[in-house]
Amino acid sequence: MTMPAVSNRRRRLRHVAAVLRRRRRRFMVELPLIVGMTLLWGAMWIDFSAGNLIFGFLISLGIVSAFRLPPVHLSGRFNLWQALLFIVRFLGNVVVASMNVFALAVFRGPRVRSAIVGVPLRSHNDLMVTLVAHTLTLIPGSVVVEVDRRSAILYMHALDVDSDEEAEAFRASARATEAGLIKVMGTRAELDALKKEDA
């Protein structure tokens, strides 16, 4: 075999190895998304058997491969104690908000005024913005109607908001939910910024 042929063969092997490394890195970055989609598949079918989860994993892998989704970057930290506190606070918020919505429906009915409130978030991380949006939507009386991904602003329909003061109180409550999630799994930079803000 001539020297140019050997050189070309080595170059091709190096190229293939580089492509495989890139694909492996991409797979590892997207693995949490694929696992989450697989669990969502099981939850949708209410079937967590091995066969159904394997099928859900293959479908998730196909979706992630076919559609170039932005990578989900994890912070690399998770605080179990803060997670437990967050869950307790979240459940308390759901109970209180449910009672408020019930009282508004019974006693004020169609006279209730609502507003669209913009909530600027601290974090610009796609995963954090998504978690905050879903958490706030699960609390009765508010729903996300639009997300400005570039500036990380959630536009929310808020029930029983009729003044600037009430809008600001709603905004503060939504940002408190974001702060709780940052304490659970935010980046070190987000956590440091939150501590400075609290100080």
Side-chain angles (χ1 to χ4, degrees):
M1 192 177 288
T2 63
M3 287 299 290
V6 170
S7 178
N8 284 339
R9 187 167 178 226
R10 284 181 182 162
R11 200 175 309 128
R12 277 199 299 273
L13 287 174
R14 279 198 301 269
H15 175 71
V16 169
V19 168
L20 289 174
R21 278 196 303 273
R22 275 198 307 271
R23 286 186 179 172
R24 188 174 65 228
R25 277 197 303 268
R26 181 170 172 253
F27 177 76
M28 293 311 291
V29 167
E30 290 173 341
L31 186 59
L33 176 64
I34 294 169
V35 170
M37 290 169 69
T38 302
L39 293 175
L40 181 62
W41 174 266
M44 282 177 15
W45 289 102
I46 316 173
D47 179 7
F48 290 94
S49 65
N52 191 48
L53 288 179
I54 290 169
F55 188 63
F57 182 83
L58 293 174
I59 288 176
S60 303
L61 192 60
I63 290 171
V64 169
S65 300
F67 301 101
R68 304 301 292 179
L69 302 171
V72 177
H73 296 289
L74 301 177
S75 65
R77 59 173 294 277
F78 184 84
N79 188 313
L80 183 59
W81 173 246
Q82 289 295 335
L84 293 173
L85 288 177
F86 181 81
I87 290 169
V88 169
R89 274 192 230 107
F90 169 73
L91 292 175
N93 288 339
V94 169
V95 171
V96 170
S98 299
M99 290 172 18
N100 285 342
V101 170
F102 174 76
L104 288 169
V106 170
F107 298 111
R108 290 176 55 193
R111 289 172 293 140
V112 175
R113 299 283 302 269
S114 301
I116 302 295
V117 181
V119 181
L121 300 180
R122 301 170 185 89
S123 176
H124 284 64
N125 181 293
D126 286 340
L127 178 61
M128 185 62 69
V129 171
T130 303
L131 286 173
V132 173
H134 283 295
T135 302
L136 292 173
T137 298
L138 288 171
I139 298 172
S142 64
V143 64
V144 176
V145 293
E146 187 178 344
V147 179
D148 186 340
R149 186 176 169 216
R150 191 166 291 180
S151 58
I153 297 177
L154 301 180
Y155 292 97
M156 304 192 64
H157 179 273
L159 194 64
D160 195 30
V161 172
D162 195 23
S163 67
D164 290 341
E165 292 77 18
E166 289 173 342
E168 195 54 47
F170 177 84
R171 201 173 283 118
S173 172
R175 283 172 61 85
T177 298
E178 182 200 15
L181 282 167
I182 287 173
K183 289 175 184 174
V184 172
M185 57 181 297
T187 64
R188 290 283 174 200
E190 290 169 348
L191 196 58
D192 291 342
L194 186 62
K195 286 177 182 174
K196 285 178 186 173
E197 186 181 307
D198 290 341

